[in-house]
Amino acid sequence: MTPAQLRAYVAVVRLGSVKQAAAQLEVSESAVSLHIAQLRKEFGDQLFSRTAAGLAFTPGGLRLASRAAELLGLQDRTVLEVSAAGRGRRLLRVAASSLFAELAAPGLLELFAKRAADLDVELSVRNPASFETLLQTRAADIAIGPQSSALDPSIAAQPVMNYRLVIVVGPDHPLAGVRASAAQLREQTWLLGPSAATDLGAVQAMLRRLAVPDDRQQIFQSHAAAVTEAKRGKGIAPALSFAVAPDVRQGHLLLTPGPHATLEAVWHSLVLATGTPPAAAELSRFASTPRAIQAMIRGAGVSVGHFKPAVHVTLWS
């Protein structure tokens, strides 16, 4: 595993295309394909496959994307932090679950960053299981997403937003308008975003509750990509109710009725109980306000082309 291979893989994940990755890296498409083939051989994992809606990643492919980003991004992150400090700016590092980062974080962080002219906000997508470690090691200032059932005493948690996870299907799907049983849902092809590859969160809770087999699960590079495949009748997709509301109103998607097809959940903000940076403490308080919740809902539903997966770091300033 070489830096060149990791850079090629990161570019493919972020851009969703070998051609675009080659153009950005200023190398040939065959060179990028060779790097990907070498990684597949070394790890014994297909990493991803191509679909009409984009790239569908294996669990191993998602984990490699995250690790590759950490390795390659360490140098860039250090340069940013040193440069920001030299210019008298503060940096707030936010770790978020993939579901929150894709569908709620953009509106929240854009609004919050406007409150302080000297603040840069860095968002990284992380496995919720690592939130406590990230905070305790000062690798992140605040984490937002699902809360672990056994929280370390050094971590303080605050509810941010209640949300509902629903199951949607395309108008031509066999379950359209059907009050499906647990067994019927279990037998479907499940179209999933990156959150399905983690152990915590509403999507995993729904999959476990219904005992959905692994061979019925397809994981895509974003939750938006999974929902797009559901519109095409390729399967069923768990989705945030507020994120799919416009498509439901327009008839592009249908909600699957019944108690097995919905799940209520809560996002929490996590910070250190003591020694929390002031900006992190302020974001934790601000995130649960009506104005912040409205911003999160308005900012939902980014397209596949604009979603930045775990390998991307976004700065608001």
Side-chain angles (χ1 to χ4, degrees):
M1 183 172 61
T2 68
Q5 292 169 356
L6 294 179
R7 288 192 187 93
Y9 184 69
V10 165
V12 169
V13 173
R14 178 158 46 83
L15 299 172
S17 162
V18 170
K19 182 177 181 179
Q20 292 183 50
Q24 183 186 75
L25 297 173
E26 298 182 345
V27 298
S28 66
E29 291 182 41
S30 60
V32 173
S33 296
L34 177 60
H35 288 319
I36 299 300
Q38 291 169 335
L39 287 173
R40 283 171 166 165
K41 181 178 180 181
E42 180 171 349
F43 288 103
D45 191 307
Q46 185 64 19
L47 302 180
F48 63 83
S49 60
R50 293 178 176 83
T51 71
L55 302 182
F57 288 85
T58 66
L62 289 172
R63 293 192 181 187
L64 176 60
S66 178
R67 293 302 185 194
E70 292 174 6
L71 292 171
L72 296 175
L74 181 59
Q75 181 178 8
D76 292 339
R77 181 175 300 178
T78 302
V79 171
L80 283 171
E81 291 178 356
V82 172
S83 175
R87 291 182 285 112
R89 298 190 63 82
R90 295 178 296 154
L91 179 64
L92 176 62
R93 297 164 301 169
V94 181
S97 64
S98 61
L99 192 65
F100 180 84
E102 179 180 348
L103 298 172
L108 171 66
L109 297 183
E110 182 178 3
L111 180 62
F112 180 74
K114 292 178 180 179
R115 295 160 57 93
D118 66 338
L119 183 66
D120 292 332
V121 182
E122 177 190 273
L123 172 67
S124 60
V125 180
R126 301 288 188 145
N127 187 330
S130 70
F131 281 174
E132 292 185 25
T133 299
L134 291 169
L135 294 170
Q136 291 166 341
T137 59
R138 308 276 180 169
D141 301 312
I142 182 173
I144 306 179
Q147 176 187 334
S148 171
S149 57
L151 200 61
D152 190 277
S154 66
I155 306 297
Q158 179 171 317
V160 169
M161 179 179 174
N162 297 317
Y163 65 93
R164 175 176 294 174
L165 192 71
V166 297
I167 294 178
V168 293
V169 298
D172 299 326
H173 191 275
L175 290 187
V178 174
R179 189 179 178 86
S181 66
Q184 286 176 303
L185 293 173
R186 190 181 305 121
E187 295 169 355
Q188 303 304 310
T189 297
W190 284 69
L191 310 170
L192 307 164
S195 60
T198 64
D199 296 328
L200 293 177
V203 173
Q204 266 297 342
M206 179 175 281
L207 293 173
R208 286 194 297 267
R209 186 179 70 182
L210 294 171
V212 179
D214 289 345
D215 60 4
R216 292 289 183 180
Q217 302 178 30
Q218 294 184 10
I219 300 177
F220 292 81
Q221 68 185 33
S222 73
H223 299 88
V227 170
T228 297
E229 284 292 274
K231 291 180 186 178
R232 295 161 52 85
K234 300 299 184 181
I236 66 177
L240 296 181
S241 58
F242 68 79
V244 296
D247 282 320
V248 171
R249 285 195 297 268
Q250 296 168 17
H252 302 315
L253 289 169
L254 297 177
L255 296 176
T256 302
H260 304 293
T262 61
L263 189 148
E264 304 288 337
V266 184
W267 283 315
H268 287 79
S269 64
L270 306 177
V271 296
L272 290 174
T274 59
T276 299
E282 177 60 23
L283 176 57
S284 181
R285 290 190 294 267
F286 177 71
S288 60
T289 64
R291 187 181 177 200
I293 292 173
Q294 290 175 3
M296 286 186 272
I297 292 175
R298 286 200 306 268
V302 291
S303 67
V304 178
H306 288 87
F307 171 63
K308 308 303 182 184
V311 300
H312 185 77
V313 174
T314 303
L315 286 176
W316 282 265
S317 61

